[in-house]
Amino acid sequence: MAALRGAEASARPGDRLASNIRVSLLSSFELSCDGTTVGLPVGIQRLVAFLALHDHPMLRVYVAGALWLDAPEERAAASLRSSLWRLNQPGFKVVGGSNGRIELAREVTVDLRDSTALAQALLSGSDGCDDPAGITRALSGDVLPDWYDEWAVMERERFRQLRLHALEALGERLLAEGKVGQAIEAAQAAAVAEPLRESAHRLLVRIHLVEGNPGEAIRQYRLCERLFREQLGVTPSGRMRALVEPLTT
């Protein structure tokens, strides 16, 4: 009974389920509720982002140690308690957990999780590509691009590789379906994300050739050639050169 009374006392009239709360990690951090951005101090943003990058409960001591690396254990634990208290002030259930573990509330949605599932579906061939433009947009942002915490950098690289492969897979599928314009958008998104990725340039050259635009194909090859020479000191591969050699001889 005492525990029940304590739980009832901790609930506030403003508390509500987090079904309309969304965490955005792609391109920039944002916490929103019902479409309205919720302003958070940087320290609390880091907590929300860290939890959003992990889809399972984590020990509080682990979370505190990961976010407050240079602080003694007691101070890190105190900082975590303070952040959790401040995070709950608006009355939104953003964080849940029990038995010494915490996690992002299950009702909270995360754009990175959605985009990861989308990319994996593309690579497995199970996605129907009903909205190519929307898929391309969903896969065009980096994870927290201006954050330099090690855990953010590692996740950024993991998702970058996943989304580049998925964008190229999308481009290949659209090209096979004869949707050339949309295929170009997907391939260009991959090339913009990583200008030194030959496979993205190679896909663009192929698309231009299929479309009957040899001049565009050569221009794309020359761009790739220049980037490789200036940035890497190498030339495009034989596979890449073979695509345009018939046009230049």
Side-chain angles (χ1 to χ4, degrees):
M1 290 295 294
L4 178 59
R5 287 196 298 271
E8 292 173 342
S10 65
R12 297 184 294 275
D15 283 346
R16 55 175 164 170
L17 291 177
S19 57
N20 296 316
I21 293 183
R22 185 166 180 80
V23 175
S24 297
L25 303 175
L26 299 177
S27 299
S28 63
F29 175 89
E30 181 180 76
L31 175 66
S32 62
C33 180
D34 297 329
T36 301
T37 299
V38 179
L40 296 174
V42 173
I44 300 180
Q45 289 183 23
R46 292 176 69 247
L47 171 60
V48 174
F50 188 80
L51 296 177
L53 290 176
H54 299 81
D55 59 356
H56 57 85
M58 293 175 288
L59 288 171
R60 293 172 67 108
V61 65
Y62 171 75
V63 175
L67 294 177
W68 290 276
L69 285 170
D70 299 327
E73 184 174 326
E74 287 189 10
R75 184 181 298 175
S79 296
L80 176 59
R81 286 194 301 271
S82 176
S83 294
L84 289 170
W85 180 81
R86 296 180 68 186
L87 180 60
N88 287 329
Q89 289 307 293
F92 309 134
K93 185 182 177 184
V94 179
V95 177
S98 60
N99 299 322
R101 298 175 182 270
I102 60 174
E103 63 180 328
L104 206 64
R106 291 297 180 178
E107 299 83 1
V108 178
T109 60
V110 181
D111 64 348
L112 175 61
R113 296 179 185 178
D114 295 341
S115 293
T116 295
L118 180 59
Q120 291 171 340
L122 276 170
L123 292 173
S124 69
S126 61
D127 184 87
C129 292
D130 294 331
D131 181 16
I135 294 173
T136 299
R137 286 194 300 272
L139 298 176
S140 293
D142 272 329
V143 175
L144 302 171
D146 54 349
W147 290 35
Y148 298 100
D149 302 85
E150 182 177 349
W151 47 268
V153 172
M154 293 177 63
E155 181 59 30
R156 182 159 60 243
E157 179 58 22
R158 182 202 69 81
F159 182 67
R160 188 181 74 89
Q161 290 296 330
L162 177 65
R163 73 184 182 91
L164 288 173
H165 281 94
L167 284 168
E168 290 178 0
L170 175 61
E172 293 280 4
R173 288 178 61 178
L174 292 169
L175 177 60
E177 294 171 5
K179 300 176 181 177
V180 178
Q182 293 170 325
I184 287 177
E185 289 187 9
Q188 283 180 333
V192 168
E194 180 45 80
L196 299 178
R197 187 176 177 87
E198 183 183 300
S199 53
H201 291 283
R202 195 162 60 238
L203 176 57
L204 280 166
V205 170
R206 289 174 47 224
I207 295 172
H208 290 311
L209 291 174
V210 168
E211 195 176 22
N213 289 317
E216 289 289 344
I218 294 174
R219 185 194 65 80
Q220 188 67 45
Y221 174 81
R222 296 302 184 199
L223 172 62
C224 176
E225 184 180 48
R226 177 175 59 80
L227 287 171
F228 278 30
R229 182 178 64 253
E230 294 178 354
Q231 301 295 323
L232 302 175
V234 299
T235 59
S237 69
R239 290 178 62 192
M240 181 67 155
R241 294 194 301 272
L243 290 173
V244 297
E245 279 178 356
L247 306 175
T248 58
T249 56

